[in-house]
Amino acid sequence: MKILFPIIIVILIALIGLYLFFTPQISNGNVEEDIAAITAVSKARADAFNAGDAATIASYFTEGAFLMAPATETKIGPKAVEAYYQEIFDTYHTELESGYEQVKVDGNLAYGRGFAKVTLYEKSTGDTLYSTSKYLNILERQADGSWKTTHDIWNGNE
């Protein structure tokens, strides 16, 4: 029994250490910095949309993320998100104006509610499509402190 007790203590300390190492850190309470980081993610995604860069857009989504675009099936994960946007970029030159109207942070989760104005120029015909929408993103702080999208949903105003 005397030998077993130190082994149990070592195992418990190791388990606690592993838990602390692999658990994302809770917000340090600086909500303004979190909001700035989340807003930067939104801007980076918009910049990538305007550049026709589907891979960069997808990099801002978690592995199990949901993209819920109008009139299409839900896309799950970065590869599906990338394929969705690549199909758009293969057909259109794109312009996007978007931004958050509200960002709320609660620990390791946040949401951003915003607007989008999209102009699509069809590459083969030159036809132009224009739409406006409202959207909601849910984001999660990653283990490295960055923010990624877990849910992206929008619908048109038209």
Side-chain angles (χ1 to χ4, degrees):
M1 188 69 163
K2 287 184 179 185
I3 294 173
L4 215 50
F5 185 71
I7 292 172
I8 292 172
I9 296 296
V10 168
I11 291 172
L12 284 174
I13 290 171
L15 289 173
I16 291 169
L18 287 171
Y19 173 78
L20 293 174
F21 180 77
F22 286 108
T23 301
Q25 297 300 306
I26 299 296
S27 172
N28 62 6
N30 194 335
V31 174
E32 292 80 19
E33 284 183 15
D34 290 335
I35 291 172
I38 291 165
T39 301
V41 166
S42 179
K43 181 178 180 337
R45 283 180 49 187
D47 290 346
F49 186 88
N50 288 327
D53 185 352
T56 296
I57 294 170
S59 74
Y60 290 101
F61 284 75
T62 63
E63 279 305 312
F66 294 90
L67 176 74
M68 297 177 276
T72 186
E73 293 181 16
T74 299
K75 312 300 185 238
I76 302 173
K79 289 184 193 299
V81 169
E82 182 175 355
Y84 171 81
Y85 282 106
Q86 190 59 55
E87 187 175 324
I88 293 170
F89 300 146
D90 287 346
T91 306
Y92 301 98
H93 294 289
T94 57
E95 289 181 10
L96 168 66
E97 177 189 339
S98 68
Y100 287 135
E101 296 171 322
Q102 178 186 25
V103 176
K104 171 83 170 148
V105 177
D106 188 3
N108 289 329
L109 292 175
Y111 70 82
R113 180 182 55 79
F115 72 94
K117 298 176 184 176
V118 177
T119 307
L120 302 175
Y121 304 95
E122 191 167 343
K123 291 179 178 180
S124 64
T125 65
D127 291 344
T128 303
L129 302 172
Y130 179 77
S131 68
T132 63
S133 63
K134 53 202 161 288
Y135 65 90
L136 185 67
N137 296 150
I138 301 173
L139 301 99
E140 181 178 47
R141 185 190 319 272
Q142 304 301 292
D144 65 1
S146 66
W147 290 90
K148 287 193 175 186
T149 303
T150 63
H151 296 76
D152 184 4
I153 184 171
W154 71 92
N155 58 9
N157 294 328
E158 291 78 27

